[in-house]
PDB file of all heavy atoms in Angstrom:
ATOM      1  N   ASN W 215       8.421   0.540  35.780  1.00 98.00           N
ATOM      2  CA  ASN W 215       7.460   0.882  36.836  1.00 98.00           C
ATOM      3  C   ASN W 215       6.190   1.433  36.199  1.00 98.00           C
ATOM      4  O   ASN W 215       6.227   2.469  35.530  1.00 98.00           O
ATOM      5  CB  ASN W 215       8.108   1.913  37.766  1.00 98.00           C
ATOM      6  CG  ASN W 215       7.221   2.230  38.941  1.00 98.00           C
ATOM      7  OD1 ASN W 215       5.998   2.173  38.873  1.00 98.00           O
ATOM      8  ND2 ASN W 215       7.823   2.574  40.070  1.00 98.00           N
ATOM      9  N   ASP W 216       5.084   0.758  36.451  1.00 98.00           N
ATOM     10  CA  ASP W 216       3.817   1.175  35.846  1.00 98.00           C
ATOM     11  C   ASP W 216       3.489   2.646  36.144  1.00 98.00           C
ATOM     12  O   ASP W 216       2.882   3.333  35.310  1.00 98.00           O
ATOM     13  CB  ASP W 216       2.662   0.308  36.361  1.00 98.00           C
ATOM     14  CG  ASP W 216       2.698  -1.097  35.761  1.00 98.00           C
ATOM     15  OD1 ASP W 216       3.437  -1.295  34.759  1.00 98.00           O
ATOM     16  OD2 ASP W 216       2.019  -1.974  36.295  1.00 98.00           O
ATOM     17  N   ALA W 217       3.842   3.099  37.334  1.00 98.00           N
ATOM     18  CA  ALA W 217       3.491   4.449  37.735  1.00 98.00           C
ATOM     19  C   ALA W 217       4.137   5.493  36.835  1.00 98.00           C
ATOM     20  O   ALA W 217       3.690   6.660  36.834  1.00 98.00           O
ATOM     21  CB  ALA W 217       3.885   4.697  39.188  1.00 98.00           C
ATOM     22  N   LEU W 218       5.133   5.143  36.085  1.00 98.00           N
ATOM     23  CA  LEU W 218       5.869   6.105  35.278  1.00 98.00           C
ATOM     24  C   LEU W 218       5.537   6.039  33.802  1.00 98.00           C
ATOM     25  O   LEU W 218       6.070   6.778  32.996  1.00 98.00           O
ATOM     26  CB  LEU W 218       7.384   5.909  35.470  1.00 98.00           C
ATOM     27  CG  LEU W 218       7.890   5.999  36.904  1.00 98.00           C
ATOM     28  CD1 LEU W 218       9.405   5.755  36.964  1.00 98.00           C
ATOM     29  CD2 LEU W 218       7.570   7.355  37.507  1.00 98.00           C
ATOM     30  N   LYS W 219       4.616   5.143  33.439  1.00 98.00           N
ATOM     31  CA  LYS W 219       4.414   4.888  32.019  1.00 98.00           C
ATOM     32  C   LYS W 219       3.467   5.845  31.305  1.00 98.00           C
ATOM     33  O   LYS W 219       3.643   6.109  30.116  1.00 98.00           O
ATOM     34  CB  LYS W 219       3.872   3.450  31.843  1.00 98.00           C
ATOM     35  CG  LYS W 219       4.899   2.381  32.189  1.00 98.00           C
ATOM     36  CD  LYS W 219       4.287   0.967  32.061  1.00 98.00           C
ATOM     37  CE  LYS W 219       5.332  -0.089  32.407  1.00 98.00           C
ATOM     38  NZ  LYS W 219       4.700  -1.424  32.455  1.00 98.00           N
ATOM     39  N   ALA W 220       2.495   6.348  32.021  1.00 97.00           N
ATOM     40  CA  ALA W 220       1.404   7.052  31.351  1.00 97.00           C
ATOM     41  C   ALA W 220       1.854   8.228  30.515  1.00 97.00           C
ATOM     42  O   ALA W 220       2.616   9.082  30.982  1.00 97.00           O
ATOM     43  CB  ALA W 220       0.370   7.512  32.375  1.00 97.00           C
ATOM     44  N   ASP W 221       1.374   8.288  29.303  1.00 98.00           N
ATOM     45  CA  ASP W 221       1.492   9.486  28.471  1.00 98.00           C
ATOM     46  C   ASP W 221       2.921   9.904  28.155  1.00 98.00           C
ATOM     47  O   ASP W 221       3.173  11.075  27.848  1.00 98.00           O
ATOM     48  CB  ASP W 221       0.787  10.667  29.169  1.00 98.00           C
ATOM     49  CG  ASP W 221      -0.668  10.361  29.445  1.00 98.00           C
ATOM     50  OD1 ASP W 221      -1.373   9.935  28.539  1.00 98.00           O
ATOM     51  OD2 ASP W 221      -1.103  10.538  30.601  1.00 98.00           O
ATOM     52  N   PHE W 222       3.843   8.958  28.218  1.00 98.00           N
ATOM     53  CA  PHE W 222       5.237   9.376  28.008  1.00 98.00           C
ATOM     54  C   PHE W 222       5.456   9.960  26.611  1.00 98.00           C
ATOM     55  O   PHE W 222       6.267  10.854  26.435  1.00 98.00           O
ATOM     56  CB  PHE W 222       6.190   8.207  28.280  1.00 98.00           C
ATOM     57  CG  PHE W 222       7.597   8.695  28.477  1.00 98.00           C
ATOM     58  CD1 PHE W 222       8.006   9.173  29.709  1.00 98.00           C
ATOM     59  CD2 PHE W 222       8.489   8.729  27.414  1.00 98.00           C
ATOM     60  CE1 PHE W 222       9.301   9.674  29.878  1.00 98.00           C
ATOM     61  CE2 PHE W 222       9.782   9.222  27.581  1.00 98.00           C
ATOM     62  CZ  PHE W 222      10.179   9.693  28.833  1.00 98.00           C
ATOM     63  N   ARG W 223       4.739   9.427  25.641  1.00 98.00           N
ATOM     64  CA  ARG W 223       4.929   9.962  24.278  1.00 98.00           C
ATOM     65  C   ARG W 223       4.454  11.412  24.184  1.00 98.00           C
ATOM     66  O   ARG W 223       5.044  12.215  23.449  1.00 98.00           O
ATOM     67  CB  ARG W 223       4.183   9.091  23.273  1.00 98.00           C
ATOM     68  CG  ARG W 223       4.906   7.784  22.992  1.00 98.00           C
ATOM     69  CD  ARG W 223       4.109   6.820  22.134  1.00 98.00           C
ATOM     70  NE  ARG W 223       3.733   7.385  20.865  1.00 98.00           N
ATOM     71  CZ  ARG W 223       4.510   7.388  19.755  1.00 98.00           C
ATOM     72  NH1 ARG W 223       5.687   6.851  19.814  1.00 98.00           N
ATOM     73  NH2 ARG W 223       4.072   7.918  18.652  1.00 98.00           N
ATOM     74  N   SER W 224       3.462  11.796  24.941  1.00 98.00           N
ATOM     75  CA  SER W 224       3.065  13.202  24.977  1.00 98.00           C
ATOM     76  C   SER W 224       4.199  14.060  25.535  1.00 98.00           C
ATOM     77  O   SER W 224       4.476  15.156  25.038  1.00 98.00           O
ATOM     78  CB  SER W 224       1.809  13.398  25.820  1.00 98.00           C
ATOM     79  OG  SER W 224       0.688  12.763  25.207  1.00 98.00           O
ATOM     80  N   HIS W 225       4.817  13.563  26.609  1.00 98.00           N
ATOM     81  CA  HIS W 225       5.959  14.301  27.168  1.00 98.00           C
ATOM     82  C   HIS W 225       7.097  14.419  26.149  1.00 98.00           C
ATOM     83  O   HIS W 225       7.716  15.476  26.018  1.00 98.00           O
ATOM     84  CB  HIS W 225       6.459  13.591  28.412  1.00 98.00           C
ATOM     85  CG  HIS W 225       5.528  13.669  29.599  1.00 98.00           C
ATOM     86  ND1 HIS W 225       5.363  14.812  30.346  1.00 98.00           N
ATOM     87  CD2 HIS W 225       4.676  12.753  30.109  1.00 98.00           C
ATOM     88  CE1 HIS W 225       4.487  14.563  31.314  1.00 98.00           C
ATOM     89  NE2 HIS W 225       4.039  13.349  31.192  1.00 98.00           N
ATOM     90  N   MET W 226       7.360  13.306  25.433  1.00 98.00           N
ATOM     91  CA  MET W 226       8.407  13.358  24.422  1.00 98.00           C
ATOM     92  C   MET W 226       8.116  14.421  23.373  1.00 98.00           C
ATOM     93  O   MET W 226       8.968  15.236  23.033  1.00 98.00           O
ATOM     94  CB  MET W 226       8.556  11.991  23.750  1.00 98.00           C
ATOM     95  CG  MET W 226       9.206  10.932  24.612  1.00 98.00           C
ATOM     96  SD  MET W 226       9.125   9.249  23.865  1.00 98.00           S
ATOM     97  CE  MET W 226      10.101   9.481  22.376  1.00 98.00           C
ATOM     98  N   LYS W 227       6.891  14.395  22.866  1.00 98.00           N
ATOM     99  CA  LYS W 227       6.540  15.340  21.804  1.00 98.00           C
ATOM    100  C   LYS W 227       6.694  16.757  22.318  1.00 98.00           C
ATOM    101  O   LYS W 227       7.231  17.641  21.636  1.00 98.00           O
ATOM    102  CB  LYS W 227       5.106  15.080  21.352  1.00 98.00           C
ATOM    103  CG  LYS W 227       4.658  16.025  20.249  1.00 98.00           C
ATOM    104  CD  LYS W 227       5.390  15.779  18.950  1.00 98.00           C
ATOM    105  CE  LYS W 227       5.118  16.835  17.910  1.00 98.00           C
ATOM    106  NZ  LYS W 227       5.915  16.675  16.720  1.00 98.00           N
ATOM    107  N   GLN W 228       6.239  17.002  23.525  1.00 98.00           N
ATOM    108  CA  GLN W 228       6.283  18.365  24.085  1.00 98.00           C
ATOM    109  C   GLN W 228       7.707  18.899  24.187  1.00 98.00           C
ATOM    110  O   GLN W 228       7.937  20.108  24.130  1.00 98.00           O
ATOM    111  CB  GLN W 228       5.618  18.392  25.448  1.00 98.00           C
ATOM    112  CG  GLN W 228       5.464  19.799  25.998  1.00 98.00           C
ATOM    113  CD  GLN W 228       4.713  19.838  27.290  1.00 98.00           C
ATOM    114  OE1 GLN W 228       5.084  19.186  28.247  1.00 98.00           O
ATOM    115  NE2 GLN W 228       3.657  20.624  27.343  1.00 98.00           N
ATOM    116  N   ARG W 229       8.669  18.007  24.394  1.00 98.00           N
ATOM    117  CA  ARG W 229      10.067  18.445  24.564  1.00 98.00           C
ATOM    118  C   ARG W 229      10.839  18.295  23.250  1.00 98.00           C
ATOM    119  O   ARG W 229      12.069  18.350  23.269  1.00 98.00           O
ATOM    120  CB  ARG W 229      10.738  17.635  25.670  1.00 98.00           C
ATOM    121  CG  ARG W 229      10.005  17.635  26.992  1.00 98.00           C
ATOM    122  CD  ARG W 229      10.056  18.966  27.719  1.00 98.00           C
ATOM    123  NE  ARG W 229       9.063  18.981  28.802  1.00 98.00           N
ATOM    124  CZ  ARG W 229       8.957  19.953  29.698  1.00 98.00           C
ATOM    125  NH1 ARG W 229       9.739  20.992  29.657  1.00 98.00           N
ATOM    126  NH2 ARG W 229       8.018  19.892  30.633  1.00 98.00           N
ATOM    127  N   GLY W 230      10.148  18.058  22.166  1.00 98.00           N
ATOM    128  CA  GLY W 230      10.847  17.947  20.862  1.00 98.00           C
ATOM    129  C   GLY W 230      11.635  16.669  20.738  1.00 98.00           C
ATOM    130  O   GLY W 230      12.622  16.625  20.011  1.00 98.00           O
ATOM    131  N   ALA W 231      11.202  15.597  21.396  1.00 98.00           N
ATOM    132  CA  ALA W 231      11.981  14.375  21.443  1.00 98.00           C
ATOM    133  C   ALA W 231      11.305  13.208  20.739  1.00 98.00           C
ATOM    134  O   ALA W 231      11.692  12.056  20.928  1.00 98.00           O
ATOM    135  CB  ALA W 231      12.251  13.994  22.896  1.00 98.00           C
ATOM    136  N   LEU W 232      10.309  13.502  19.902  1.00 98.00           N
ATOM    137  CA  LEU W 232       9.652  12.428  19.132  1.00 98.00           C
ATOM    138  C   LEU W 232      10.149  12.565  17.703  1.00 98.00           C
ATOM    139  O   LEU W 232       9.720  13.452  16.968  1.00 98.00           O
ATOM    140  CB  LEU W 232       8.134  12.605  19.223  1.00 98.00           C
ATOM    141  CG  LEU W 232       7.231  11.395  19.016  1.00 98.00           C
ATOM    142  CD1 LEU W 232       7.589  10.244  19.929  1.00 98.00           C
ATOM    143  CD2 LEU W 232       5.787  11.792  19.247  1.00 98.00           C
ATOM    144  N   LEU W 233      11.076  11.728  17.308  1.00 98.00           N
ATOM    145  CA  LEU W 233      11.717  11.848  16.011  1.00 98.00           C
ATOM    146  C   LEU W 233      10.716  11.534  14.892  1.00 98.00           C
ATOM    147  O   LEU W 233      10.038  10.507  14.934  1.00 98.00           O
ATOM    148  CB  LEU W 233      12.905  10.881  15.935  1.00 98.00           C
ATOM    149  CG  LEU W 233      13.815  11.026  14.725  1.00 98.00           C
ATOM    150  CD1 LEU W 233      14.542  12.385  14.761  1.00 98.00           C
ATOM    151  CD2 LEU W 233      14.844   9.898  14.690  1.00 98.00           C
ATOM    152  N   ALA W 234      10.644  12.426  13.901  1.00 98.00           N
ATOM    153  CA  ALA W 234       9.697  12.209  12.802  1.00 98.00           C
ATOM    154  C   ALA W 234       9.954  10.851  12.154  1.00 98.00           C
ATOM    155  O   ALA W 234       9.074  10.001  12.090  1.00 98.00           O
ATOM    156  CB  ALA W 234       9.821  13.336  11.764  1.00 98.00           C
ATOM    157  N   LYS W 235      11.170  10.649  11.676  1.00 98.00           N
ATOM    158  CA  LYS W 235      11.503   9.341  11.091  1.00 98.00           C
ATOM    159  C   LYS W 235      11.964   8.414  12.188  1.00 98.00           C
ATOM    160  O   LYS W 235      13.136   7.954  12.243  1.00 98.00           O
ATOM    161  CB  LYS W 235      12.604   9.506  10.036  1.00 98.00           C
ATOM    162  CG  LYS W 235      12.175  10.432   8.887  1.00 98.00           C
ATOM    163  CD  LYS W 235      13.195  10.528   7.772  1.00 98.00           C
ATOM    164  CE  LYS W 235      12.736  11.552   6.753  1.00 98.00           C
ATOM    165  NZ  LYS W 235      13.707  11.794   5.677  1.00 98.00           N
ATOM    166  N   GLY W 236      11.048   8.130  13.088  1.00 98.00           N
ATOM    167  CA  GLY W 236      11.365   7.362  14.291  1.00 98.00           C
ATOM    168  C   GLY W 236      11.939   5.997  13.959  1.00 98.00           C
ATOM    169  O   GLY W 236      12.705   5.426  14.756  1.00 98.00           O
ATOM    170  N   ARG W 237      11.636   5.501  12.779  1.00 98.00           N
ATOM    171  CA  ARG W 237      12.100   4.159  12.450  1.00 98.00           C
ATOM    172  C   ARG W 237      13.627   4.101  12.398  1.00 98.00           C
ATOM    173  O   ARG W 237      14.205   3.023  12.554  1.00 98.00           O
ATOM    174  CB  ARG W 237      11.471   3.686  11.149  1.00 98.00           C
ATOM    175  CG  ARG W 237      11.619   4.525   9.923  1.00 98.00           C
ATOM    176  CD  ARG W 237      12.925   4.426   9.190  1.00 98.00           C
ATOM    177  NE  ARG W 237      12.937   5.061   7.897  1.00 98.00           N
ATOM    178  CZ  ARG W 237      12.499   4.511   6.772  1.00 98.00           C
ATOM    179  NH1 ARG W 237      11.952   3.347   6.761  1.00 98.00           N
ATOM    180  NH2 ARG W 237      12.585   5.188   5.647  1.00 98.00           N
ATOM    181  N   LEU W 238      14.280   5.241  12.157  1.00 98.00           N
ATOM    182  CA  LEU W 238      15.742   5.251  12.167  1.00 98.00           C
ATOM    183  C   LEU W 238      16.265   4.697  13.486  1.00 98.00           C
ATOM    184  O   LEU W 238      17.304   4.022  13.529  1.00 98.00           O
ATOM    185  CB  LEU W 238      16.267   6.681  11.979  1.00 98.00           C
ATOM    186  CG  LEU W 238      15.900   7.398  10.659  1.00 98.00           C
ATOM    187  CD1 LEU W 238      16.435   8.815  10.708  1.00 98.00           C
ATOM    188  CD2 LEU W 238      16.438   6.638   9.473  1.00 98.00           C
ATOM    189  N   LEU W 239      15.581   5.001  14.567  1.00 98.00           N
ATOM    190  CA  LEU W 239      15.982   4.503  15.887  1.00 98.00           C
ATOM    191  C   LEU W 239      15.695   3.006  16.010  1.00 98.00           C
ATOM    192  O   LEU W 239      16.509   2.226  16.514  1.00 98.00           O
ATOM    193  CB  LEU W 239      15.299   5.320  16.976  1.00 98.00           C
ATOM    194  CG  LEU W 239      15.779   6.776  17.039  1.00 98.00           C
ATOM    195  CD1 LEU W 239      14.748   7.669  17.721  1.00 98.00           C
ATOM    196  CD2 LEU W 239      17.111   6.856  17.778  1.00 98.00           C
ATOM    197  N   GLY W 240      14.510   2.630  15.563  1.00 98.00           N
ATOM    198  CA  GLY W 240      14.158   1.208  15.635  1.00 98.00           C
ATOM    199  C   GLY W 240      15.090   0.344  14.794  1.00 98.00           C
ATOM    200  O   GLY W 240      15.561  -0.726  15.225  1.00 98.00           O
ATOM    201  N   VAL W 241      15.371   0.798  13.591  1.00 98.00           N
ATOM    202  CA  VAL W 241      16.274   0.045  12.710  1.00 98.00           C
ATOM    203  C   VAL W 241      17.638  -0.148  13.359  1.00 98.00           C
ATOM    204  O   VAL W 241      18.206  -1.233  13.356  1.00 98.00           O
ATOM    205  CB  VAL W 241      16.411   0.793  11.347  1.00 98.00           C
ATOM    206  CG1 VAL W 241      17.581   0.222  10.548  1.00 98.00           C
ATOM    207  CG2 VAL W 241      15.108   0.685  10.546  1.00 98.00           C
ATOM    208  N   GLN W 242      18.165   0.929  13.916  1.00 98.00           N
ATOM    209  CA  GLN W 242      19.491   0.847  14.530  1.00 98.00           C
ATOM    210  C   GLN W 242      19.494  -0.030  15.784  1.00 98.00           C
ATOM    211  O   GLN W 242      20.393  -0.837  15.973  1.00 98.00           O
ATOM    212  CB  GLN W 242      19.990   2.246  14.863  1.00 98.00           C
ATOM    213  CG  GLN W 242      20.290   3.125  13.654  1.00 98.00           C
ATOM    214  CD  GLN W 242      20.894   4.460  14.073  1.00 98.00           C
ATOM    215  OE1 GLN W 242      22.112   4.586  14.225  1.00 98.00           O
ATOM    216  NE2 GLN W 242      20.075   5.469  14.291  1.00 98.00           N
ATOM    217  N   PHE W 243      18.506   0.168  16.619  1.00 98.00           N
ATOM    218  CA  PHE W 243      18.488  -0.645  17.860  1.00 98.00           C
ATOM    219  C   PHE W 243      18.270  -2.122  17.550  1.00 98.00           C
ATOM    220  O   PHE W 243      18.843  -2.998  18.184  1.00 98.00           O
ATOM    221  CB  PHE W 243      17.479  -0.104  18.864  1.00 98.00           C
ATOM    222  CG  PHE W 243      18.076   0.875  19.818  1.00 98.00           C
ATOM    223  CD1 PHE W 243      17.867   2.242  19.673  1.00 98.00           C
ATOM    224  CD2 PHE W 243      18.909   0.454  20.852  1.00 98.00           C
ATOM    225  CE1 PHE W 243      18.433   3.162  20.532  1.00 98.00           C
ATOM    226  CE2 PHE W 243      19.476   1.365  21.716  1.00 98.00           C
ATOM    227  CZ  PHE W 243      19.242   2.724  21.573  1.00 98.00           C
ATOM    228  N   ARG W 244      17.407  -2.393  16.561  1.00 98.00           N
ATOM    229  CA  ARG W 244      17.218  -3.792  16.186  1.00 98.00           C
ATOM    230  C   ARG W 244      18.530  -4.394  15.724  1.00 98.00           C
ATOM    231  O   ARG W 244      18.901  -5.505  16.096  1.00 98.00           O
ATOM    232  CB  ARG W 244      16.158  -3.902  15.081  1.00 98.00           C
ATOM    233  CG  ARG W 244      15.645  -5.317  14.899  1.00 98.00           C
ATOM    234  CD  ARG W 244      14.710  -5.447  13.696  1.00 98.00           C
ATOM    235  NE  ARG W 244      15.415  -5.212  12.448  1.00 98.00           N
ATOM    236  CZ  ARG W 244      15.050  -5.706  11.274  1.00 98.00           C
ATOM    237  NH1 ARG W 244      13.908  -6.398  11.201  1.00 98.00           N
ATOM    238  NH2 ARG W 244      15.729  -5.448  10.196  1.00 98.00           N
ATOM    239  N   ALA W 245      19.263  -3.621  14.923  1.00 98.00           N
ATOM    240  CA  ALA W 245      20.506  -4.146  14.363  1.00 98.00           C
ATOM    241  C   ALA W 245      21.529  -4.460  15.450  1.00 98.00           C
ATOM    242  O   ALA W 245      22.289  -5.422  15.372  1.00 98.00           O
ATOM    243  CB  ALA W 245      21.082  -3.151  13.352  1.00 98.00           C
ATOM    244  N   ILE W 246      21.548  -3.613  16.472  1.00 98.00           N
ATOM    245  CA  ILE W 246      22.615  -3.792  17.469  1.00 98.00           C
ATOM    246  C   ILE W 246      22.205  -4.742  18.584  1.00 98.00           C
ATOM    247  O   ILE W 246      23.046  -5.249  19.337  1.00 98.00           O
ATOM    248  CB  ILE W 246      23.029  -2.416  18.034  1.00 98.00           C
ATOM    249  CG1 ILE W 246      24.470  -2.489  18.530  1.00 98.00           C
ATOM    250  CG2 ILE W 246      22.112  -1.924  19.129  1.00 98.00           C
ATOM    251  CD1 ILE W 246      25.128  -1.159  18.694  1.00 98.00           C
ATOM    252  N   LEU W 247      20.910  -5.018  18.699  1.00 97.00           N
ATOM    253  CA  LEU W 247      20.444  -5.865  19.794  1.00 97.00           C
ATOM    254  C   LEU W 247      20.189  -7.295  19.361  1.00 97.00           C
ATOM    255  O   LEU W 247      20.240  -8.221  20.169  1.00 97.00           O
ATOM    256  CB  LEU W 247      19.146  -5.294  20.404  1.00 97.00           C
ATOM    257  CG  LEU W 247      19.371  -4.028  21.242  1.00 97.00           C
ATOM    258  CD1 LEU W 247      18.005  -3.389  21.563  1.00 97.00           C
ATOM    259  CD2 LEU W 247      20.123  -4.302  22.521  1.00 97.00           C
ATOM    260  N   GLU W 248      19.919  -7.498  18.066  1.00 92.00           N
ATOM    261  CA  GLU W 248      19.433  -8.831  17.715  1.00 92.00           C
ATOM    262  C   GLU W 248      20.514  -9.881  17.720  1.00 92.00           C
ATOM    263  O   GLU W 248      20.261 -11.075  17.790  1.00 92.00           O
ATOM    264  CB  GLU W 248      18.686  -8.818  16.371  1.00 92.00           C
ATOM    265  CG  GLU W 248      19.535  -8.540  15.187  1.00 92.00           C
ATOM    266  CD  GLU W 248      18.690  -8.412  13.916  1.00 92.00           C
ATOM    267  OE1 GLU W 248      17.492  -8.760  13.924  1.00 92.00           O
ATOM    268  OE2 GLU W 248      19.219  -7.910  12.904  1.00 92.00           O
ATOM    269  N   ASN W 249      21.759  -9.463  17.647  1.00 87.00           N
ATOM    270  CA  ASN W 249      22.841 -10.468  17.631  1.00 87.00           C
ATOM    271  C   ASN W 249      23.880 -10.188  18.688  1.00 87.00           C
ATOM    272  O   ASN W 249      25.058 -10.484  18.524  1.00 87.00           O
ATOM    273  CB  ASN W 249      23.481 -10.481  16.251  1.00 87.00           C
ATOM    274  CG  ASN W 249      23.807  -9.053  15.824  1.00 87.00           C
ATOM    275  OD1 ASN W 249      23.798  -8.149  16.685  1.00 87.00           O
ATOM    276  ND2 ASN W 249      24.106  -8.868  14.577  1.00 87.00           N
ATOM    277  N   ASP W 250      23.468  -9.529  19.742  1.00 93.00           N
ATOM    278  CA  ASP W 250      24.360  -9.218  20.861  1.00 93.00           C
ATOM    279  C   ASP W 250      25.517  -8.291  20.495  1.00 93.00           C
ATOM    280  O   ASP W 250      26.474  -8.182  21.222  1.00 93.00           O
ATOM    281  CB  ASP W 250      24.914 -10.499  21.471  1.00 93.00           C
ATOM    282  CG  ASP W 250      25.078 -10.329  22.977  1.00 93.00           C
ATOM    283  OD1 ASP W 250      24.239  -9.633  23.569  1.00 93.00           O
ATOM    284  OD2 ASP W 250      26.042 -10.868  23.535  1.00 93.00           O
ATOM    285  N   LEU W 251      25.389  -7.636  19.374  1.00 98.00           N
ATOM    286  CA  LEU W 251      26.435  -6.687  18.984  1.00 98.00           C
ATOM    287  C   LEU W 251      26.623  -5.612  20.052  1.00 98.00           C
ATOM    288  O   LEU W 251      27.721  -5.088  20.232  1.00 98.00           O
ATOM    289  CB  LEU W 251      26.042  -6.065  17.637  1.00 98.00           C
ATOM    290  CG  LEU W 251      26.986  -5.038  17.038  1.00 98.00           C
ATOM    291  CD1 LEU W 251      28.363  -5.655  16.794  1.00 98.00           C
ATOM    292  CD2 LEU W 251      26.408  -4.511  15.696  1.00 98.00           C
ATOM    293  N   TYR W 252      25.526  -5.284  20.737  1.00 98.00           N
ATOM    294  CA  TYR W 252      25.620  -4.231  21.747  1.00 98.00           C
ATOM    295  C   TYR W 252      26.685  -4.557  22.780  1.00 98.00           C
ATOM    296  O   TYR W 252      27.559  -3.720  23.084  1.00 98.00           O
ATOM    297  CB  TYR W 252      24.249  -4.048  22.422  1.00 98.00           C
ATOM    298  CG  TYR W 252      24.202  -2.836  23.310  1.00 98.00           C
ATOM    299  CD1 TYR W 252      24.062  -1.581  22.770  1.00 98.00           C
ATOM    300  CD2 TYR W 252      24.317  -2.952  24.682  1.00 98.00           C
ATOM    301  CE1 TYR W 252      24.041  -0.443  23.577  1.00 98.00           C
ATOM    302  CE2 TYR W 252      24.301  -1.843  25.501  1.00 98.00           C
ATOM    303  CZ  TYR W 252      24.163  -0.574  24.942  1.00 98.00           C
ATOM    304  OH  TYR W 252      24.153   0.541  25.743  1.00 98.00           O
TER     305      TYR W 252
END
Side-chain angles (χ1 to χ4, degrees):
Chain W
N215 185 330
D216 287 346
L218 303 179
K219 291 177 180 173
D221 303 309
F222 197 83
R223 285 172 57 85
S224 294
H225 291 284
M226 287 171 64
K227 181 67 190 175
Q228 188 176 55
R229 307 289 166 173
L232 204 54
L233 189 65
K235 299 185 186 176
R237 56 80 170 276
L238 299 176
L239 292 158
V241 166
Q242 293 185 87
F243 268 103
R244 195 186 67 154
I246 207 163
L247 287 169
E248 68 185 347
N249 49 14
D250 214 35
L251 180 59
Y252 189 78

